[in-house]
C-alpha cells in the first residue's frame, strides 16, 4: 500500500527508482537496522560501504524506538560536506579513523518480481522522516550479475536517509551532544523495542560485517549507554536498599531482611 511520509509522497506513480534500475530489479543499502533485519525477498546480501557520508544517531524516532511523547534516537547518514559545518565533539576521532568518509553496511539485491513490493515495505518501515536517495555502493566482494564486474565494482543503491531538512533531524546542537544522545537512547522505547537494544544490535551487526569493530560514533555511544545503564542498576539497588531499611524500621521486614547485629 502506498504511504505518505511527513509530506513525502511515496507512491509508485511518483517513483523514480526505475530510472536507476532499468532492469526492474532493486539494490538497497542498509546502514542501520537493515543490516540485521533485512528486507524480504532478497537473493544477495553484500557487505561494503558508501562514500561521502557519516553515520550519526541524530534522528528522532517517534515510532520504532520511541513515542511521540518521548522520542527515541535512531541512526541516519549525513553528507560529509554538511556534517563538517556542524559542531561534532567526535570530529577529531572521525578524521583519525582509517575508514574516513566511508559508511559500512550491507546491500541487498531484490529481484524484479518483488521490487515494487519491497519498495512499499521499505517506505512504510522508514516512514518517520526518511526518504529514498541513490548513491554508489562499494562492495567488498564480487557481486553476481553486476554490470561490467571484473572485480568488486561500484553499483548504484537506493538508501533511505533522514535528511537535515526532515522534521525528526536533531537541529539543536545540545540535542546532538553525545551524552544527551546516549541518555535518550537509554530511556527510549518504541514499537520495535528499546533504544539501547537498537544501538547494541547495530554495533554487533557492524562487527559481523568483518570490520572487527563499529565506527567511532557507535562505539562511543555504546560505552556511554552501558555506563548510564550500570548507573541505573546501582540506583535501583540503592532504592531497594532504602525500601528495605524503611520496612525494617517499621517492623515489616521479612527474615531475609534481618541481619545479625554488629
Amino acid at each position: 500500500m502506498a504511504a505518505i511520509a511527513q509530506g513525502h509522497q511515496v507512491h509508485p506513480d511518483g517513483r523514480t527508482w526505475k530510472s536507476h534500475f532499468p532492469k526492474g530489479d532493486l539494490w538497497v543499502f542498509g546502514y542501520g537496522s537493515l543490516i540485521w533485519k533485512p528486507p524480504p525477498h532478497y537473493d544477495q546480501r553484500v557487505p561494503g560501504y558508501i562514500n561521502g557520508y557519516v553515520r550519526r544517531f541524530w534522528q528522532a524516532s517517534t515510532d520504532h524506538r520511541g513515542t511521540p511523547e518521548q522520542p527515541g534516537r535512531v541512526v541516519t547518514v549525513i553528507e560529509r560536506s554538511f556534517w563538517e559545518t556542524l559542531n561534532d565533539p567526535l570530529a577529531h576521532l572521525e578524521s583519525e579513523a582509517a575508514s574516513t568518509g566511508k559508511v559500512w553496511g550491507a546491500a541487498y539485491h531484490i529481484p524484479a518480481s518483488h521490487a515494487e513490493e519491497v519498495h512499499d515495505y521499505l517506505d512504510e518501515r522508514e516512514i518517520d522522516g526518511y526518504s529514498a536517495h541513490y548513491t554508489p555502493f562499494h562492495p567488498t566482494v564480487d557481486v553476481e550479475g553486476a554490470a561490467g564486474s571484473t572485480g568488486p565494482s561500484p553499483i548504484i543503491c537506493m538508501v533511505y536517509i533522514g535528511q537535515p531538512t526532515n522534521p525528526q533531524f536533531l537541529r539543536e546542537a545540545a540535542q546532538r551532544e553525545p551524552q544527551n544522545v546516549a541518555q535518550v537512547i537509554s530511556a527510549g522505547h518504541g514499537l520495535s523495542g528499546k533504544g539501547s537494544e537498537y544501538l547494541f544490535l547495530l554495533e554487533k551487526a557492524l562487527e559481523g560485517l568483518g570490520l572487527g569493530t563499529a565506527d567511532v560514533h557507535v562505539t562511543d555511544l555504546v560505552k556511554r549507554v552501558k555506563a548510564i545503564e550500570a548507573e541505573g542498576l546501582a540506583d535501583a539497588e540503592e532504592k531497594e536498599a532504602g525500601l528495605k531499611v524503611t520496612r525494617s524500621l517499621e517492623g515489616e521486614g521479612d527474615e531475609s531482611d534481618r541481619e545479625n547485629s554488629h
Side-chain angles (χ1 to χ4, degrees), residues 133-183:
H133 302 266
Y134 304 89
T135 190
F137 165 74
H138 301 265
T140 56
V141 297
D142 289 342
V143 177
E144 181 182 343
S149 180
T150 57
S153 301
I155 55 177
I156 294 296
C157 271
M158 184 173 74
V159 56
Y160 283 82
I161 298 174
Q163 290 194 306
T165 53
N166 92 87
Q168 306 297 4
F169 187 81
L170 304 183
R171 291 175 174 78
E172 297 180 16
Q175 291 184 317
R176 300 194 301 265
E177 285 290 326
Q179 193 63 20
N180 184 296
V181 174
Q183 292 280 0

